[in-house]
Amino acid sequence: MTSHAPQLIGRVFISEEDFSVRKPDSQLVHFTNSNFKILPSDQPIEEEVHDNPTKRRYYPVRTGDLIRGKYQVLGKLGYGLGSTVWLANELSGFNILLGINDKSIIQRFVEAEQEHSLARKDVQGYTVYAPRAFDSPSGKSIGEPLLSDFGSAVSGDVEHDEDVQPNVYRAPEIWDLFEGKHLFYGRDPKEGKYMTRAHLADMVALLGPPPVELLKVGKRSTEFFDKDSGWTADIPVPARTSLEESEKNLEGYNKEAFLRFMRKILQWRPEDRQTASQLLEDDWLNGRS
């Protein structure tokens, strides 16, 4: 392992031109061990779950690759909706995305990869790797993260009516963080995966039908609702539920205050929702009774 600082290459979109053809030098880590497990071809894993890798949605990164003559790929950490996530060693050395104070976990990561390479399989010429997790830091902390997941980001100055968040991280994110579960799963009972109609059905079960005036301006409203806000999609709306039933961690005033906070967010009409600045002043968020 070199003295230069490793970093995360996460949700970064790269092209073939970014991969340099370069002979190994003293700074590169050598991965010569071929001791790896071949995964079953009939069981989709990682990015295969979202899309067929042969469609070239994901660049075929391999452990040991050199990117732009500057970053050497050390191993896979995971995947997202639009890209895979890898640990890379920056040969010129400075940290971005995530600071790691305990550098020994990087050393152990690389040694583990050299000794037992990541399990993988070949999908028509594309190698799908299983991820490797970091060891826990030895009495030290991981540095502060920076915002880096821009795989579904869009410009704010143009009209956009497609998805702007990965399916698993849809609003309201604060519910997921506090409750440890989603408020809306959006799993379609017929297709067995996330779909917009199932997400809307979950919302109707909790919030009731959307206002008619909102549906009048929606580009896809007629796919799911009639002119009177009745549900018309080809799946049933789940049984009616409430925030009180869904929240399991709090009691008494704390629960009441938290649910009041959530209701300021969970409104069909954008103009009925509080802004981020207003929410920052909420009593529950600031611990005020």
Side-chain angles (χ1 to χ4, degrees), residues 30-39 63 109-121 129-130 132:
H30 300 286
F31 299 97
T32 58
N33 195 305
S34 59
N35 182 20
F36 59 85
K37 177 183 177 182
I38 298 178
L39 299 169
T63 298
F109 184 99
V110 174
E111 290 173 351
E113 178 61 23
Q114 290 177 311
E115 184 175 350
H116 295 287
S117 296
L118 292 170
R120 66 197 71 171
K121 63 177 173 178
Y129 288 83
R132 185 187 301 282

Side-chain angles (χ1 to χ4, degrees), residues 167 184-202 220 223-224 231-238:
N167 298 336
F184 307 119
Y185 281 87
R187 185 170 181 82
D188 194 285
K190 291 188 174 182
E191 299 296 329
K193 62 181 181 180
Y194 175 90
M195 294 191 71
T196 298
R197 66 182 184 181
H199 193 146
L200 285 170
D202 287 350
R220 299 180 59 190
E223 294 180 38
F224 315 105
W231 181 254
T232 60
D234 192 29
I235 59 170
V237 172

Side-chain angles (χ1 to χ4, degrees), residues 209-210 212 215 221 224-233:
V212 171
L215 296 178
S221 298
F224 315 105
F225 301 95
D226 62 24
K227 62 182 180 64
D228 298 316
S229 200
W231 181 254
T232 60

Side-chain angles (χ1 to χ4, degrees), residues 145-216:
L146 303 177
L147 290 177
S148 60
D149 189 350
F150 301 110
S152 297
V154 297
S155 174
D157 57 1
V158 295
E159 183 177 346
H160 186 88
D161 58 6
E162 299 296 326
D163 295 343
V164 296
Q165 291 174 290
N167 298 336
V168 72
Y169 294 129
R170 295 291 177 88
E173 300 93 326
I174 192 169
W175 180 275
D176 293 24
L177 292 171
F178 195 71
E179 293 293 317
K181 62 180 181 180
H182 299 315
L183 189 57
F184 307 119
Y185 281 87
R187 185 170 181 82
D188 194 285
K190 291 188 174 182
E191 299 296 329
K193 62 181 181 180
Y194 175 90
M195 294 191 71
T196 298
R197 66 182 184 181
H199 193 146
L200 285 170
D202 287 350
M203 293 178 66
V204 171
L206 180 70
L207 304 176
V212 171
E213 61 269 24
L214 178 65
L215 296 178
K216 288 180 179 178

Side-chain angles (χ1 to χ4, degrees), residues 37-49:
K37 177 183 177 182
I38 298 178
L39 299 169
S41 61
D42 60 345
Q43 297 178 14
I45 65 163
E46 296 283 293
E47 59 266 33
E48 276 189 289
V49 174

